[in-house]
Amino acid sequence: MYLPEIEKKWQKKWADTGLYKFDKHSDKPKKYVLEMFSYPSGAKLHVGHWYNFGLADTYARYLRMKGYNVFHPMGFDAFGLPAENYAIKTGIHPKDSTVANITTMEEQLKAMGASFDWDYEVKTCMPDYYKWTQWCFLQLYKKGLAYRSAAPVNWCPNCNTVLANEQVVDGECERCHTVVTKKHLTQWFFKITDYAEELLSDLDTLDWPEKTKLMQKNWIGKSTGSEITFQTVGGGEFSVFTTRADTLHGCSYVVISPEHPMVDQLTTPAQKEAVEAYKEYAAKASEIDRLSTSREKTGVFTGSYAINPINGREVPIWAADYVLASYGTGVVMAVPAHDERDFAFATKYELPIERVVAKKHEDQDDSLPFCEYEGVLVNSGQFDGLTVTEGKEAITKHLSTLGKGDFKTTYRLRDWLISRQRYWGAPIPIIHCPHCGDVPVPERDLPVELPYDVDFTPDGTSPLAKHQGFMNTKCPVCGADATRDPDTMDTFVCSSWYFLRYPDNQNSEMAWDPAIINSLLPVDKYVGGAEHACMHLLYSRFFTKAFRDMGYLNFDEPFRSLVHQGTILGPDGEKMSKSKGNVVSPDAYIEKFGSDAFRMYLGFGFAYIEGGPWNDGGIKSVAKYLDRVERLTDRIYEATEDNKSADAKEVTYILHKTIKAVDEDLATFSFNTAIARMMELTNALYKYTDNAFDIDFAKDCIRTLLKLMAPFAPHFTEELWERIGGDYSIFNQDFPVYEEKLLVKDEITYPLQVNGKVKARFAVPSDFTKEQIEAYVRTEYAADFEGMDIVKLIVVPGRIVNVVVKPAK
RNA sequence: GCGGAUAUGGCGGAAUUGGCAGACGCGCCAGACUUAGGAUCUGGUACUUCGGUGUGCAGGUUCGACCCCUGUUAUCCGCACCA
């Protein structure tokens, strides 16, 4: 069968008959199967797309045949930097290149033969989509979850432009490799930190890869400790966050982040020059310096002193950039005896190092810095003798009674900076009025359309800021001349809610109808790359929770179950890249072997979640297997000599074993083993049909095999199904069901181990009890155990028998 | 540095979760059918001195370990001074 030809025929028929149209009114149970939508930056689908979409489609088709009403949409994450960078390089407008790429990719996705229902497609760069992205922004704004604030952004001094975090590679601009610096700009943020606790605790409810959950957990970074207030000698006060309140007596100085707003007031005139110089030094510190773990700690004395609230001692306040302004309070109490960083700093600047925790056990190494939790407090007045854990609690409680401290939980998670000084994105629907301040665009005025005729050459400002027609508007509140926000939203905003739009994508009245969305979501199976663990997957969870709290959704989590496909590498085992010249393009293979063979090889040649290096031989082997199935089908359907008494016991057993295995393997994305089982069945059927066979029975077997294969090779099986006279379509057939009783063999062959080594094999009726098997072994092998004592005889029913012997005395 | 994962024939990968290691396939070898074979079919294929030995390495638990425990090495991924 020449697959490329056959595939076109069936794709047409599937489209003509609307086979994959989603039935909103079906009374079958629903399954929402979703792949992370495509990013149309390149013009063509690559192997990774096929691996993701092709096998997720296999899963969707399987569920469909299992009797579910499967919702399986596809769309495009169409805004973003690559299109804009491409435009800067070539002069082709991002909209034009994106629309062209989408058209090509749609054709390719259709040529793949996936069961998407294109009626539900979304494209995030279209006004009828980003209108609602802007609406989402406004709801978050109304709810107090969007705010504007000054923040440092990545700045490339060579390109003279702002870079997204993703564009900063190892501290350098990804395009010109200039070292990236920081620049302060006023930016919009989403208050994802409000949901830190729930984003963390709900991870436990998700059927997600443990690694991904752990990454999110670490990213959120919950830390429980204490917040302690210090007075300054000059009369001011500030707080520090610590997880080691027990070591407070050992605090011999305090360190403030050089970017902290209090630095200036803490700096004494004598130290002003030194502190200013240090602030400048810290601001200039490049990303590369910050990335270096071995970077030597630096700092400067502010000239001021603070009072340690536990013992009234005056300690110097230093500014140092090893303290981050954005975590905790931006100030830390330094306990050099019990913290490695403080120890290094104190050693360098000759600050006092005083032990307040001693070892608990004799065999502990208690050299400084002593950072272990197994310890007891010393030099801590009334708290001496307490353990570290007891000390934390007792000291914090004591401070609390003095009004100088309390228990405190902090998170590493930062608010989400969504402003981009870029053109190709959804405009932020805010108007800046000289009288009214930031004014949200009224919902009736949405969308704020992205103009086409924009000069997006990078010059350090937002491209939209140069477009007078876009920028100049009237304040919706007071009517005065006002300007629009010139920034666009991070594309991750667009992708944080697309799964909510799919099922109701035509709705022009609202972003989604809660009745529809609440019945189809959450997504039952989400399939996509692991690289989104702490971005898209976290942002989408945040959106879901925020919109739930606003009453637009009634579920807590967007993606119940998540699978990450592995990465297909080049034949050399390296990640595919143009510069390495190891990119495998699907096109030539599709043309030669067909999309079914290509998809099936992707399923067969790899463990799905692992991926691995591409191998040319593998695809030939799958193509060969498909031919083999075709010949087998023809052999059986063209047979004339019927033999009802042919022994079908073995084939029947294999048939049902295969149904069971393929069913279970498909449910768990174990495509490679599912295909292996089908190959075994095929081999068994070849053997069975070598001589005259029971034709009706063999036809039954073939129909079952084709149905099992259908999710993997949709065109191929549809064609054979038609050839053998099956009703259209094979995808309207039920997935085969195995019979438990046919999985039981009459006899079971047991390996007989002696002292753990297999020495023999014997067969007994499968209903033999443990005792009967033991008795059988003892009598049957009595002669072999002559002169031996049987110490132990272990029978594992259905598995193995192990006899432990030793020479008789 | 911290956290996580992985390690099985020449290769991709299996192993019912503590019970016959190497399923299935690629590759290779031999044979059959062929004018021909890069088609198809059949058989073989971990190593071996044929007694055994084998799941990165060294120990341990167990009647029994790829699987559990301790230590160790290599590779990959994530985080990056988070107080």
Side-chain angles (χ1 to χ4, degrees), chain A residues 223 242-243 293 297 341 605 628 679-680 761 802:
Chain A
S223 181
T242 181
T243 55
T293 31
K297 293 190 176 27
R341 296 152 302 186
R628 223 167 119 73
M679 287 173 167
E680 282 171 335
R761 252 162 237 289
N802 190 12

mmCIF file of all heavy atoms in Angstrom, chain A residues 223 242-243 293 297 341 605 628 679-680 761 802, chain B residues 12 16 20 23-24 40-41 63 80-83:
data_model
loop_
_atom_site.group_PDB
_atom_site.id
_atom_site.type_symbol
_atom_site.label_atom_id
_atom_site.label_comp_id
_atom_site.label_asym_id
_atom_site.label_seq_id
_atom_site.Cartn_x
_atom_site.Cartn_y
_atom_site.Cartn_z
ATOM 1 N N SER A 223 9.295 29.279 52.651
ATOM 2 C CA SER A 223 10.284 29.211 53.708
ATOM 3 C C SER A 223 9.666 29.765 54.992
ATOM 4 O O SER A 223 9.143 30.873 55.007
ATOM 5 C CB SER A 223 11.497 30.053 53.283
ATOM 6 O OG SER A 223 12.500 30.001 54.259
ATOM 7 N N THR A 242 14.558 35.755 58.877
ATOM 8 C CA THR A 242 15.541 34.702 59.123
ATOM 9 C C THR A 242 14.851 33.372 59.387
ATOM 10 O O THR A 242 13.737 33.338 59.893
ATOM 11 C CB THR A 242 16.446 35.054 60.317
ATOM 12 O OG1 THR A 242 17.391 33.984 60.489
ATOM 13 C CG2 THR A 242 15.647 35.213 61.601
ATOM 14 N N THR A 243 15.526 32.303 58.986
ATOM 15 C CA THR A 243 15.027 30.973 59.355
ATOM 16 C C THR A 243 15.776 30.485 60.587
ATOM 17 O O THR A 243 15.532 29.383 61.051
ATOM 18 C CB THR A 243 15.272 29.969 58.201
ATOM 19 O OG1 THR A 243 16.652 29.976 57.869
ATOM 20 C CG2 THR A 243 14.445 30.304 56.991
ATOM 21 N N THR A 293 29.008 31.492 41.039
ATOM 22 C CA THR A 293 28.838 31.073 42.426
ATOM 23 C C THR A 293 30.072 31.401 43.251
ATOM 24 O O THR A 293 29.995 31.620 44.443
ATOM 25 C CB THR A 293 28.597 29.555 42.516
ATOM 26 O OG1 THR A 293 29.280 28.932 41.457
ATOM 27 C CG2 THR A 293 27.141 29.233 42.471
ATOM 28 N N LYS A 297 32.437 37.912 47.807
ATOM 29 C CA LYS A 297 31.472 38.832 48.389
ATOM 30 C C LYS A 297 32.109 40.198 48.585
ATOM 31 O O LYS A 297 33.280 40.307 48.960
ATOM 32 C CB LYS A 297 30.971 38.274 49.716
ATOM 33 C CG LYS A 297 30.160 37.025 49.482
ATOM 34 C CD LYS A 297 29.431 36.545 50.680
ATOM 35 C CE LYS A 297 28.563 35.350 50.314
ATOM 36 N NZ LYS A 297 29.045 34.560 49.178
ATOM 37 N N ARG A 341 27.725 32.144 54.099
ATOM 38 C CA ARG A 341 27.922 33.423 53.398
ATOM 39 C C ARG A 341 28.395 34.497 54.372
ATOM 40 O O ARG A 341 29.328 35.250 54.095
ATOM 41 C CB ARG A 341 26.613 33.848 52.735
ATOM 42 C CG ARG A 341 26.172 32.891 51.662
ATOM 43 C CD ARG A 341 24.686 32.904 51.496
ATOM 44 N NE ARG A 341 23.991 32.558 52.746
ATOM 45 C CZ ARG A 341 22.718 32.383 52.865
ATOM 46 N NH1 ARG A 341 21.929 32.545 51.823
ATOM 47 N NH2 ARG A 341 22.169 32.054 54.016
ATOM 48 N N GLY A 605 9.946 3.666 18.497
ATOM 49 C CA GLY A 605 11.394 3.738 18.667
ATOM 50 C C GLY A 605 11.882 4.372 19.957
ATOM 51 O O GLY A 605 13.071 4.361 20.241
ATOM 52 N N ARG A 628 3.541 -5.905 6.422
ATOM 53 C CA ARG A 628 3.318 -7.252 6.936
ATOM 54 C C ARG A 628 1.863 -7.441 7.366
ATOM 55 O O ARG A 628 1.253 -8.485 7.125
ATOM 56 C CB ARG A 628 4.242 -7.455 8.147
ATOM 57 C CG ARG A 628 4.934 -8.775 8.210
ATOM 58 C CD ARG A 628 6.041 -8.718 9.244
ATOM 59 N NE ARG A 628 5.806 -9.702 10.308
ATOM 60 C CZ ARG A 628 5.963 -11.011 10.150
ATOM 61 N NH1 ARG A 628 6.364 -11.494 8.993
ATOM 62 N NH2 ARG A 628 5.727 -11.838 11.152
ATOM 63 N N MET A 679 2.878 -6.443 17.365
ATOM 64 C CA MET A 679 3.795 -7.194 16.498
ATOM 65 C C MET A 679 3.789 -8.670 16.889
ATOM 66 O O MET A 679 3.811 -9.547 16.033
ATOM 67 C CB MET A 679 5.207 -6.625 16.599
ATOM 68 C CG MET A 679 5.366 -5.283 15.908
ATOM 69 S SD MET A 679 6.985 -4.567 16.235
ATOM 70 C CE MET A 679 7.040 -3.256 15.004
ATOM 71 N N GLU A 680 3.736 -8.925 18.184
ATOM 72 C CA GLU A 680 3.689 -10.313 18.640
ATOM 73 C C GLU A 680 2.423 -11.007 18.144
ATOM 74 O O GLU A 680 2.459 -12.147 17.686
ATOM 75 C CB GLU A 680 3.736 -10.374 20.175
ATOM 76 C CG GLU A 680 5.123 -10.164 20.742
ATOM 77 C CD GLU A 680 5.126 -10.008 22.256
ATOM 78 O OE1 GLU A 680 4.097 -9.604 22.828
ATOM 79 O OE2 GLU A 680 6.165 -10.280 22.866
ATOM 80 N N ARG A 761 12.417 -26.923 34.599
ATOM 81 C CA ARG A 761 11.105 -26.354 34.316
ATOM 82 C C ARG A 761 10.090 -27.466 34.389
ATOM 83 O O ARG A 761 10.387 -28.595 34.009
ATOM 84 C CB ARG A 761 11.092 -25.848 32.879
ATOM 85 C CG ARG A 761 11.099 -24.388 32.736
ATOM 86 C CD ARG A 761 11.535 -24.048 31.327
ATOM 87 N NE ARG A 761 12.705 -23.195 31.389
ATOM 88 C CZ ARG A 761 12.658 -21.939 31.799
ATOM 89 N NH1 ARG A 761 11.513 -21.406 32.154
ATOM 90 N NH2 ARG A 761 13.742 -21.229 31.861
ATOM 91 N N ASN A 802 11.223 -21.894 44.285
ATOM 92 C CA ASN A 802 12.631 -21.870 44.672
ATOM 93 C C ASN A 802 12.839 -22.860 45.826
ATOM 94 O O ASN A 802 12.141 -22.798 46.838
ATOM 95 C CB ASN A 802 13.039 -20.461 45.105
ATOM 96 C CG ASN A 802 14.553 -20.333 45.291
ATOM 97 O OD1 ASN A 802 15.310 -21.223 44.895
ATOM 98 N ND2 ASN A 802 14.978 -19.255 45.914
ATOM 99 P P G B 12 21.370 2.855 22.466
ATOM 100 O OP1 G B 12 21.638 4.209 22.969
ATOM 101 O OP2 G B 12 21.564 1.684 23.351
ATOM 102 O "O5'" G B 12 19.879 2.811 21.918
ATOM 103 C "C5'" G B 12 19.450 3.790 20.981
ATOM 104 C "C4'" G B 12 17.999 3.565 20.650
ATOM 105 O "O4'" G B 12 17.841 2.312 19.950
ATOM 106 C "C3'" G B 12 17.079 3.413 21.846
ATOM 107 O "O3'" G B 12 16.772 4.677 22.397
ATOM 108 C "C2'" G B 12 15.881 2.722 21.227
ATOM 109 O "O2'" G B 12 15.107 3.637 20.487
ATOM 110 C "C1'" G B 12 16.565 1.754 20.252
ATOM 111 N N9 G B 12 16.759 0.429 20.856
ATOM 112 C C8 G B 12 17.868 -0.011 21.543
ATOM 113 N N7 G B 12 17.743 -1.234 21.975
ATOM 114 C C5 G B 12 16.469 -1.618 21.564
ATOM 115 C C6 G B 12 15.769 -2.845 21.755
ATOM 116 O O6 G B 12 16.161 -3.860 22.339
ATOM 117 N N1 G B 12 14.505 -2.813 21.174
ATOM 118 C C2 G B 12 13.977 -1.731 20.498
ATOM 119 N N2 G B 12 12.747 -1.880 20.021
ATOM 120 N N3 G B 12 14.627 -0.586 20.323
ATOM 121 C C4 G B 12 15.854 -0.602 20.876
ATOM 122 P P U B 16 7.782 -5.273 35.701
ATOM 123 O OP1 U B 16 7.777 -3.842 35.370
ATOM 124 O OP2 U B 16 8.807 -5.801 36.627
ATOM 125 O "O5'" U B 16 6.360 -5.692 36.250
ATOM 126 C "C5'" U B 16 5.210 -4.913 35.894
ATOM 127 C "C4'" U B 16 3.993 -5.785 35.889
ATOM 128 O "O4'" U B 16 4.123 -6.796 34.854
ATOM 129 C "C3'" U B 16 3.744 -6.578 37.167
ATOM 130 O "O3'" U B 16 3.120 -5.813 38.165
ATOM 131 C "C2'" U B 16 2.863 -7.713 36.669
ATOM 132 O "O2'" U B 16 1.534 -7.298 36.500
ATOM 133 C "C1'" U B 16 3.484 -7.977 35.287
ATOM 134 N N1 U B 16 4.484 -9.064 35.344
ATOM 135 C C2 U B 16 4.010 -10.362 35.376
ATOM 136 O O2 U B 16 2.832 -10.626 35.364
ATOM 137 N N3 U B 16 4.977 -11.328 35.444
ATOM 138 C C4 U B 16 6.339 -11.128 35.474
ATOM 139 O O4 U B 16 7.086 -12.096 35.535
ATOM 140 C C5 U B 16 6.745 -9.754 35.435
ATOM 141 C C6 U B 16 5.825 -8.795 35.377
ATOM 142 P P C B 20 11.340 -13.335 36.925
ATOM 143 O OP1 C B 20 12.524 -12.499 37.148
ATOM 144 O OP2 C B 20 10.290 -12.904 35.981
ATOM 145 O "O5'" C B 20 11.800 -14.795 36.516
ATOM 146 C "C5'" C B 20 12.815 -15.453 37.254
ATOM 147 C "C4'" C B 20 13.631 -16.283 36.307
ATOM 148 O "O4'" C B 20 12.769 -17.290 35.733
ATOM 149 C "C3'" C B 20 14.184 -15.499 35.117
ATOM 150 O "O3'" C B 20 15.430 -16.054 34.737
ATOM 151 C "C2'" C B 20 13.169 -15.737 34.017
ATOM 152 O "O2'" C B 20 13.693 -15.660 32.730
ATOM 153 C "C1'" C B 20 12.763 -17.179 34.342
ATOM 154 N N1 C B 20 11.423 -17.503 33.875
ATOM 155 C C2 C B 20 11.285 -18.507 32.911
ATOM 156 O O2 C B 20 12.297 -19.084 32.503
ATOM 157 N N3 C B 20 10.063 -18.821 32.464
ATOM 158 C C4 C B 20 8.996 -18.185 32.927
ATOM 159 N N4 C B 20 7.816 -18.535 32.461
ATOM 160 C C5 C B 20 9.098 -17.148 33.898
ATOM 161 C C6 C B 20 10.320 -16.841 34.334
ATOM 162 P P A B 23 14.707 -10.515 23.901
ATOM 163 O OP1 A B 23 15.295 -11.866 23.981
ATOM 164 O OP2 A B 23 15.245 -9.537 22.914
ATOM 165 O "O5'" A B 23 13.144 -10.625 23.655
ATOM 166 C "C5'" A B 23 12.362 -11.517 24.428
ATOM 167 C "C4'" A B 23 10.986 -10.942 24.639
ATOM 168 O "O4'" A B 23 11.062 -9.848 25.596
ATOM 169 C "C3'" A B 23 10.347 -10.310 23.403
ATOM 170 O "O3'" A B 23 9.698 -11.278 22.604
ATOM 171 C "C2'" A B 23 9.361 -9.320 24.029
ATOM 172 O "O2'" A B 23 8.195 -9.978 24.462
ATOM 173 C "C1'" A B 23 10.150 -8.826 25.230
ATOM 174 N N9 A B 23 10.920 -7.613 24.951
ATOM 175 C C8 A B 23 12.280 -7.463 24.948
ATOM 176 N N7 A B 23 12.676 -6.246 24.664
ATOM 177 C C5 A B 23 11.500 -5.555 24.460
ATOM 178 C C6 A B 23 11.239 -4.219 24.127
ATOM 179 N N6 A B 23 12.193 -3.314 23.928
ATOM 180 N N1 A B 23 9.947 -3.840 23.990
ATOM 181 C C2 A B 23 9.002 -4.760 24.194
ATOM 182 N N3 A B 23 9.120 -6.053 24.512
ATOM 183 C C4 A B 23 10.403 -6.379 24.633
ATOM 184 P P C B 24 10.055 -11.455 21.089
ATOM 185 O OP1 C B 24 9.114 -12.437 20.519
ATOM 186 O OP2 C B 24 11.512 -11.667 20.969
ATOM 187 O "O5'" C B 24 9.720 -10.014 20.491
ATOM 188 C "C5'" C B 24 8.373 -9.588 20.339
ATOM 189 C "C4'" C B 24 8.333 -8.145 19.914
ATOM 190 O "O4'" C B 24 8.819 -7.300 20.992
ATOM 191 C "C3'" C B 24 9.269 -7.797 18.755
ATOM 192 O "O3'" C B 24 8.707 -8.148 17.502
ATOM 193 C "C2'" C B 24 9.420 -6.289 18.939
ATOM 194 O "O2'" C B 24 8.258 -5.610 18.528
ATOM 195 C "C1'" C B 24 9.544 -6.202 20.450
ATOM 196 N N1 C B 24 10.956 -6.288 20.898
ATOM 197 C C2 C B 24 11.734 -5.122 20.878
ATOM 198 O O2 C B 24 11.217 -4.057 20.491
ATOM 199 N N3 C B 24 13.031 -5.190 21.277
ATOM 200 C C4 C B 24 13.545 -6.360 21.671
ATOM 201 N N4 C B 24 14.825 -6.366 22.052
ATOM 202 C C5 C B 24 12.773 -7.559 21.691
ATOM 203 C C6 C B 24 11.495 -7.479 21.301
ATOM 204 P P U B 40 10.785 -6.840 3.106
ATOM 205 O OP1 U B 40 9.797 -6.131 3.941
ATOM 206 O OP2 U B 40 12.171 -7.013 3.564
ATOM 207 O "O5'" U B 40 10.220 -8.277 2.738
ATOM 208 C "C5'" U B 40 8.859 -8.441 2.357
ATOM 209 C "C4'" U B 40 8.607 -9.879 2.008
ATOM 210 O "O4'" U B 40 9.456 -10.276 0.899
ATOM 211 C "C3'" U B 40 8.954 -10.885 3.094
ATOM 212 O "O3'" U B 40 7.932 -10.989 4.072
ATOM 213 C "C2'" U B 40 9.123 -12.166 2.287
ATOM 214 O "O2'" U B 40 7.874 -12.707 1.922
ATOM 215 C "C1'" U B 40 9.821 -11.640 1.038
ATOM 216 N N1 U B 40 11.292 -11.725 1.136
ATOM 217 C C2 U B 40 11.878 -12.966 0.898
ATOM 218 O O2 U B 40 11.221 -13.960 0.626
ATOM 219 N N3 U B 40 13.248 -13.010 0.995
ATOM 220 C C4 U B 40 14.071 -11.948 1.308
ATOM 221 O O4 U B 40 15.287 -12.136 1.360
ATOM 222 C C5 U B 40 13.400 -10.701 1.549
ATOM 223 C C6 U B 40 12.066 -10.639 1.454
ATOM 224 P P C B 41 8.303 -11.337 5.584
ATOM 225 O OP1 C B 41 7.076 -11.159 6.394
ATOM 226 O OP2 C B 41 9.536 -10.617 5.952
ATOM 227 O "O5'" C B 41 8.637 -12.884 5.499
ATOM 228 C "C5'" C B 41 7.621 -13.816 5.158
ATOM 229 C "C4'" C B 41 8.227 -15.170 4.954
ATOM 230 O "O4'" C B 41 9.184 -15.128 3.862
ATOM 231 C "C3'" C B 41 9.046 -15.701 6.126
ATOM 232 O "O3'" C B 41 8.246 -16.245 7.142
ATOM 233 C "C2'" C B 41 9.914 -16.741 5.436
ATOM 234 O "O2'" C B 41 9.177 -17.919 5.157
ATOM 235 C "C1'" C B 41 10.235 -16.043 4.121
ATOM 236 N N1 C B 41 11.514 -15.304 4.172
ATOM 237 C C2 C B 41 12.707 -16.040 4.045
ATOM 238 O O2 C B 41 12.633 -17.269 3.918
ATOM 239 N N3 C B 41 13.890 -15.390 4.088
ATOM 240 C C4 C B 41 13.918 -14.065 4.241
ATOM 241 N N4 C B 41 15.105 -13.473 4.265
ATOM 242 C C5 C B 41 12.726 -13.291 4.374
ATOM 243 C C6 C B 41 11.550 -13.946 4.336
ATOM 244 P P C B 63 16.155 -15.210 54.050
ATOM 245 O OP1 C B 63 15.113 -15.890 54.858
ATOM 246 O OP2 C B 63 17.523 -14.995 54.589
ATOM 247 O "O5'" C B 63 16.287 -15.997 52.665
ATOM 248 C "C5'" C B 63 17.027 -17.210 52.613
ATOM 249 C "C4'" C B 63 16.858 -17.829 51.250
ATOM 250 O "O4'" C B 63 15.470 -18.261 51.080
ATOM 251 C "C3'" C B 63 17.084 -16.899 50.079
ATOM 252 O "O3'" C B 63 18.455 -16.792 49.769
ATOM 253 C "C2'" C B 63 16.296 -17.587 48.967
ATOM 254 O "O2'" C B 63 16.988 -18.687 48.423
ATOM 255 C "C1'" C B 63 15.079 -18.094 49.735
ATOM 256 N N1 C B 63 13.935 -17.154 49.693
ATOM 257 C C2 C B 63 13.205 -17.047 48.494
ATOM 258 O O2 C B 63 13.544 -17.713 47.513
ATOM 259 N N3 C B 63 12.156 -16.217 48.443
ATOM 260 C C4 C B 63 11.803 -15.511 49.521
ATOM 261 N N4 C B 63 10.766 -14.702 49.416
ATOM 262 C C5 C B 63 12.532 -15.597 50.748
ATOM 263 C C6 C B 63 13.579 -16.437 50.784
ATOM 264 P P A B 80 17.156 31.024 39.039
ATOM 265 O OP1 A B 80 16.226 32.127 39.277
ATOM 266 O OP2 A B 80 17.645 30.716 37.688
ATOM 267 O "O5'" A B 80 18.457 31.236 39.946
ATOM 268 C "C5'" A B 80 18.332 31.355 41.339
ATOM 269 C "C4'" A B 80 19.667 31.020 41.965
ATOM 270 O "O4'" A B 80 20.260 29.858 41.334
ATOM 271 C "C3'" A B 80 20.681 32.157 41.836
ATOM 272 O "O3'" A B 80 21.204 32.412 43.129
ATOM 273 C "C2'" A B 80 21.749 31.593 40.922
ATOM 274 O "O2'" A B 80 23.043 32.017 41.249
ATOM 275 C "C1'" A B 80 21.644 30.087 41.209
ATOM 276 N N9 A B 80 22.164 29.340 40.082
ATOM 277 C C8 A B 80 21.617 29.160 38.843
ATOM 278 N N7 A B 80 22.377 28.473 38.025
ATOM 279 C C5 A B 80 23.489 28.176 38.779
ATOM 280 C C6 A B 80 24.669 27.475 38.494
ATOM 281 N N6 A B 80 24.917 26.925 37.318
ATOM 282 N N1 A B 80 25.580 27.361 39.473
ATOM 283 C C2 A B 80 25.325 27.928 40.668
ATOM 284 N N3 A B 80 24.265 28.613 41.062
ATOM 285 C C4 A B 80 23.381 28.702 40.056
ATOM 286 P P C B 81 21.571 33.851 43.596
ATOM 287 O OP1 C B 81 20.498 34.771 43.251
ATOM 288 O OP2 C B 81 22.949 34.177 43.216
ATOM 289 O "O5'" C B 81 21.532 33.533 45.156
ATOM 290 C "C5'" C B 81 21.804 32.213 45.610
ATOM 291 C "C4'" C B 81 22.718 32.308 46.807
ATOM 292 O "O4'" C B 81 23.952 32.931 46.409
ATOM 293 C "C3'" C B 81 22.127 33.136 47.936
ATOM 294 O "O3'" C B 81 22.303 32.460 49.166
ATOM 295 C "C2'" C B 81 22.961 34.414 47.903
ATOM 296 O "O2'" C B 81 23.132 34.953 49.185
ATOM 297 C "C1'" C B 81 24.296 33.906 47.366
ATOM 298 N N1 C B 81 25.075 34.954 46.703
ATOM 299 C C2 C B 81 26.272 35.375 47.290
ATOM 300 O O2 C B 81 26.646 34.823 48.338
ATOM 301 N N3 C B 81 26.977 36.352 46.700
ATOM 302 C C4 C B 81 26.540 36.906 45.587
ATOM 303 N N4 C B 81 27.272 37.870 45.045
ATOM 304 C C5 C B 81 25.319 36.499 44.964
ATOM 305 C C6 C B 81 24.627 35.535 45.556
ATOM 306 P P C B 82 21.235 31.357 49.589
ATOM 307 O OP1 C B 82 21.592 31.062 50.978
ATOM 308 O OP2 C B 82 21.198 30.306 48.568
ATOM 309 O "O5'" C B 82 19.818 32.085 49.568
ATOM 310 C "C5'" C B 82 19.446 32.951 50.617
ATOM 311 C "C4'" C B 82 17.940 33.025 50.691
ATOM 312 O "O4'" C B 82 17.454 33.777 49.556
ATOM 313 C "C3'" C B 82 17.236 31.670 50.631
ATOM 314 O "O3'" C B 82 16.123 31.712 51.481
ATOM 315 C "C2'" C B 82 16.793 31.552 49.171
ATOM 316 O "O2'" C B 82 15.614 30.825 49.008
ATOM 317 C "C1'" C B 82 16.547 33.015 48.798
ATOM 318 N N1 C B 82 16.806 33.294 47.374
ATOM 319 C C2 C B 82 15.760 33.753 46.567
ATOM 320 O O2 C B 82 14.653 33.916 47.068
ATOM 321 N N3 C B 82 15.996 34.011 45.264
ATOM 322 C C4 C B 82 17.217 33.832 44.762
ATOM 323 N N4 C B 82 17.407 34.110 43.480
ATOM 324 C C5 C B 82 18.294 33.364 45.559
ATOM 325 C C6 C B 82 18.049 33.110 46.849
ATOM 326 P P A B 83 16.089 30.675 52.655
ATOM 327 O OP1 A B 83 16.515 29.343 52.222
ATOM 328 O OP2 A B 83 14.742 30.881 53.216
ATOM 329 O "O5'" A B 83 17.151 31.225 53.681
ATOM 330 C "C5'" A B 83 16.754 32.123 54.643
ATOM 331 C "C4'" A B 83 17.946 32.670 55.338
ATOM 332 O "O4'" A B 83 18.833 33.276 54.361
ATOM 333 C "C3'" A B 83 17.568 33.802 56.297
ATOM 334 O "O3'" A B 83 17.277 33.310 57.593
ATOM 335 C "C2'" A B 83 18.775 34.716 56.254
ATOM 336 O "O2'" A B 83 19.779 34.239 57.112
ATOM 337 C "C1'" A B 83 19.213 34.566 54.809
ATOM 338 N N9 A B 83 18.581 35.566 53.929
ATOM 339 C C8 A B 83 17.319 36.074 53.968
ATOM 340 N N7 A B 83 17.055 36.955 53.031
ATOM 341 C C5 A B 83 18.237 37.016 52.323
ATOM 342 C C6 A B 83 18.633 37.760 51.213
ATOM 343 N N6 A B 83 17.840 38.619 50.584
ATOM 344 N N1 A B 83 19.870 37.595 50.755
ATOM 345 C C2 A B 83 20.677 36.727 51.365
ATOM 346 N N3 A B 83 20.435 35.959 52.431
ATOM 347 C C4 A B 83 19.183 36.155 52.868
#
